[in-house]
Amino acid sequence: MYDLTERRRALALVSQGHSLNAVSRMTGVSRSALREWRVRVEPKRSVPDCPGRASGPAYAYLLGLYLGDGCISPQPRGGHTLRIACSDAWPGLIDACEEAVRAVCPGNSVCRVHAQGCTMVTSYGRHWPCLFPQHGPGRKHERPIALEPWQQAVVDEHPWDFVRGLIHSDGSRVVNRTTRLVGGEPRRYEYPRYFFTNKSVDIRRLYTDTLDTLGVAWRQANACNVSVARKASVALMDRFVGPKY
Ligand SMILES: [Zn+2]
């Protein structure tokens, strides 16, 4: 069994231009192993019983939450902690988040950690980076974010859950009120709208691509902000997402 450092060292020789044969001779690693490592460098059995992927509406929802307000950090003794920041203004969403975390990884413990103005729903486990391979150093908007094919398949199957997760983390439903004169009489009008605000162009794209498949019209309101304002589209969002609670 070769550890990750040994694997990377061998792959570095390959990428320097040495043939698989030559690297195999230099390192004692078989060519088939080298070929395998080029596809996936992590040792497969380093983490037993890895689910590798997740499915279902709870995962689609949690993926939306994670892309909006989540982070994964390694723990000193191994394993990782998933943290989703939830605003204290929406206690129902904290419950929904916790429920989704439990549904996606039933074996993991889940707890709430209170911070200023928000509650972190946190869960320790060994597979969070496998389930959210977007995990990486730096902020999400400073690195490319792309879904794995299996994640895209979950989103395709449960698009509204994904959109709900994104809106529940980085979105809002706002109501603009105006008064207009109709036949000389002032009449009040309300225009509900949905906004989604995220600095990552990739995450905004995932949101708008999903809206496209759902037939929801959107427009870029400003640099980081996507608006859904057309009546029929807002009605769809109200039916499947709704205001925060
Ligand atoms: Zn795993």
Side-chain angles (χ1 to χ4, degrees):
M1 198 68 185
Y2 296 90
D3 69 20
L4 198 52
T5 313
E6 294 166 314
R7 288 164 180 238
R8 291 223 165 98
R9 203 173 291 146
L11 287 183
L13 292 169
V14 177
S15 66
Q16 282 161 21
H18 298 284
S19 70
L20 291 185
N21 265 331
V23 176
S24 180
R25 275 198 307 274
M26 285 187 266
T27 59
V29 175
S30 74
R31 282 176 304 160
S32 66
L34 289 170
R35 273 194 291 268
E36 215 174 278
W37 297 350
R38 288 165 97 175
V39 178
R40 179 203 166 93
V41 69
E42 288 83 13
K44 261 185 199 152
R45 278 168 295 169
S46 67
V47 182
D49 63 51
C50 175
R53 56 182 66 187
S55 60
Y59 178 76
Y61 177 67
L62 189 58
L63 178 60
L65 292 181
Y66 166 73
L67 292 177
D69 281 329
C71 70
I72 291 172
S73 32
Q75 295 305 298
R77 282 186 216 141
H80 286 75
T81 298
L82 169 74
R83 286 189 184 80
I84 309 276
C86 302
S87 165
D88 286 338
W90 316 109
L93 297 193
I94 302 175
D95 293 339
C97 173
E98 182 174 335
E99 204 175 295
V101 173
R102 287 187 193 284
V104 169
C105 263
N108 291 355
S109 64
V110 183
C111 59
R112 299 180 180 199
V113 180
H114 201 256
Q116 195 168 11
C118 75
T119 295
M120 293 282 183
V121 173
T122 75
S123 174
Y124 170 82
R126 287 177 304 171
H127 301 294
W128 292 122
C130 320
L131 299 182
F132 297 102
Q134 287 69 32
H135 165 61
R139 292 159 163 263
K140 290 197 201 84
H141 66 272
E142 287 160 355
R143 53 193 161 93
I145 298 286
L147 297 186
E148 295 282 330
W150 67 264
Q151 292 181 296
Q152 186 61 55
V154 180
V155 169
D156 291 344
E157 200 177 341
H158 306 284
W160 278 117
D161 297 279
F162 180 61
V163 167
R164 198 181 313 116
L166 288 169
I167 291 290
H168 282 177
S169 55
D170 277 347
S172 58
R173 182 187 189 273
V174 299
V175 181
N176 292 355
R177 294 184 174 82
T178 58
T179 307
R180 279 193 194 164
L181 289 178
V182 178
E185 296 285 314
R187 212 182 266 181
R188 289 168 56 89
Y189 286 90
E190 291 194 340
Y191 300 97
R193 285 211 263 175
Y194 283 83
F195 286 108
F196 176 72
T197 309
N198 193 293
K199 281 186 186 170
S200 160
V201 63
D202 290 339
I203 294 174
R204 290 200 306 274
R205 174 75 54 77
L206 288 171
Y207 173 64
T208 55
D209 281 354
T210 311
L211 292 185
D212 285 343
T213 69
L214 292 165
V216 174
W218 55 272
R219 68 179 182 83
Q220 192 78 37
N222 61 45
C224 297
N225 207 330
V226 176
S227 149
V228 171
R230 278 200 211 154
K231 207 171 172 185
S233 294
V234 170
L236 272 177
M237 294 287 277
D238 277 346
R239 185 168 162 206
F240 293 103
V241 178
K244 295 187 180 189
Y245 55 95

